Amino acid sequence: MARLLPGTRALRTLEAAARHLNFTRAADELGLTPAAVSHLIKEIEDQLGIVLFTRTSRTIRLTEAGAVLFEASADALDLLGRAVSRAHKMARGTAQLKVTLDAQFATKWLMRRVDSFRKHQPDIELRFDITYEVRDFDRDDVDVGIRFGTGKYAGLCSHRLFDNVIIPVCSPALLKAGPPLKEPRDLFHHTLAHIVWARQGVTWPNWRMWMAAAGVDDFDDSRTVVFSNSSDAVQAALDGNAVALADFAMVANDLSEGRLVRPFALGIKVAPDFAYHLVYPQGSADDARIVAFKDWLLNEVHNPQPDPTRRSWDEL
């Protein structure tokens, strides 16, 4: 948001340089060269008649005066950022609702259901902020979010959507071409993909964990392909290049429409403290747009359309 604030280049440069105490890192953050940062800082010092940084050949340090202006510039940028966020929301009016969510949830779950929301709420226009970054409702131009986590966020209302069950999936072409997949050990003959994710002592299920649950205790995971996000792992399965571990809710449509198949019914649940949640500021709890979106979303979650894979789901 700071980069979107007009007329704040000097403040942003001072704040970044003081925070990093390194002109090169500040330059990387601001999209400038270190020389440009140094020049801007010198220009500020000359205009104010105050030395803000003491410089040596290897380091820079804030002077007492510099520390005072650093704190003030940080506060000013924060205040301006919050004001700009409110202004954006006011300019959008009450007919639009901006939702922030990650790419996987957007493409694999929400976008497939947007037409249903439009039919129920034709007067509300949904707009999307697709990102894996956690947005700040006070500083960013968003109204509601869908986040994966514990759901315990200060100042936010949170509604748990659904549990995450991790299952093996592959393309029909891979299953047909073989080698056959009749028992878990047959997976040893295929490329296996999963993601790596850990937070607060919780690890996202991987192939070693799935094999252990399947009773296979001599699995060598050195040949598995590891991705940083689920979309890439699922794409590897869709392309016929691997058997991937995927979140059932995120691939349910691919399964029901035949793009993916589920060679084994066994699934592993993610630790119950973690799930997807709908979140929004407590001060917005009575916003009619948010109430409408919340009610629709929770109904979609708890009353899903019939799914041909449902029998396998019940076997978990």
Side-chain angles (χ1 to χ4, degrees), residues 102-166:
D102 65 49
Q104 177 178 241
F105 196 97
T107 58
K108 294 296 185 181
W109 201 90
L110 186 62
M111 294 303 186
R112 297 171 179 270
R113 295 166 170 81
V114 166
D115 284 345
S116 168
F117 178 80
R118 288 171 176 159
K119 291 176 181 177
H120 283 83
Q121 301 292 337
D123 296 330
I124 300 176
E125 178 188 351
L126 290 182
R127 292 197 176 184
F128 301 100
D129 170 56
I130 309 298
T131 180
Y132 284 100
E133 295 181 9
V134 176
R135 297 302 195 194
D136 183 333
F137 288 102
D138 288 334
R139 291 181 57 84
D140 296 311
D141 182 24
V142 294
D143 300 303
V144 299
I146 295 172
R147 294 182 183 173
F148 182 82
T150 63
K152 299 175 182 178
Y153 307 112
L156 299 184
C157 297
S158 178
H159 303 273
R160 187 184 183 95
L161 298 183
F162 40 66
D163 294 328
N164 301 87
V165 178
I166 310 307

Side-chain angles (χ1 to χ4, degrees), residues 109-252:
W109 201 90
L110 186 62
M111 294 303 186
R112 297 171 179 270
R113 295 166 170 81
V114 166
D115 284 345
S116 168
F117 178 80
R118 288 171 176 159
K119 291 176 181 177
H120 283 83
Q121 301 292 337
D123 296 330
I124 300 176
E125 178 188 351
L126 290 182
R127 292 197 176 184
F128 301 100
D129 170 56
I130 309 298
T131 180
Y132 284 100
E133 295 181 9
V134 176
R135 297 302 195 194
D136 183 333
F137 288 102
D138 288 334
R139 291 181 57 84
D140 296 311
D141 182 24
V142 294
D143 300 303
V144 299
I146 295 172
R147 294 182 183 173
F148 182 82
T150 63
K152 299 175 182 178
Y153 307 112
L156 299 184
C157 297
S158 178
H159 303 273
R160 187 184 183 95
L161 298 183
F162 40 66
D163 294 328
N164 301 87
V165 178
I166 310 307
I167 62 170
V169 295
C170 65
S171 72
L174 182 145
L175 194 64
K176 183 177 179 180
L181 290 173
K182 295 182 179 180
E183 60 180 50
R185 285 184 177 277
D186 292 336
L187 288 163
F188 289 12
H189 304 296
H190 290 268
T191 298
L192 304 180
H194 65 258
I195 67 167
V196 58
W197 182 93
R199 190 176 300 169
Q200 299 179 23
V202 173
T203 300
W204 192 266
N206 54 39
W207 276 111
R208 178 175 291 279
M209 296 165 64
W210 189 92
M211 288 290 182
V216 178
D217 56 9
D218 59 345
F219 175 63
D220 177 9
D221 62 1
S222 63
R223 297 181 61 186
T224 57
V225 178
V226 180
F227 293 96
S228 59
N229 66 73
S230 298
S231 295
D232 291 336
V234 171
Q235 191 60 51
L238 287 166
D239 292 341
N241 297 323
V243 182
L245 286 178
D247 185 344
F248 177 86
M250 297 299 106
V251 295

Side-chain angles (χ1 to χ4, degrees), residues 281-300:
Q282 291 175 350
S284 301
D286 294 330
D287 186 315
R289 300 166 304 157
I290 293 177
V291 171
F293 184 73
K294 176 195 69 175
D295 291 346
W296 168 81
L297 184 64
L298 295 179
N299 182 68
E300 287 290 317

Side-chain angles (χ1 to χ4, degrees), residues 36-110:
V37 170
S38 179
H39 176 76
L40 281 167
I41 295 298
K42 184 65 168 62
E43 191 174 79
I44 295 170
E45 290 178 323
D46 290 344
Q47 290 174 351
L48 295 175
I50 300 172
V51 176
L52 303 177
F53 295 88
T54 57
R55 302 162 174 84
T56 68
S57 59
R58 295 184 178 180
T59 63
I60 62 172
R61 306 178 88 177
L62 279 169
T63 64
E64 289 187 8
V68 170
L69 287 179
F70 166 51
E71 182 178 352
S73 64
D75 289 345
L77 288 169
D78 181 67
L79 182 62
L80 283 170
R82 293 172 188 274
V84 169
S85 175
R86 291 197 300 273
H88 275 299
K89 291 173 182 177
M90 291 171 65
R92 284 197 280 110
T94 58
Q96 294 179 2
L97 183 72
K98 195 163 185 180
V99 185
T100 180
L101 70 168
D102 65 49
Q104 177 178 241
F105 196 97
T107 58
K108 294 296 185 181
W109 201 90
L110 186 62

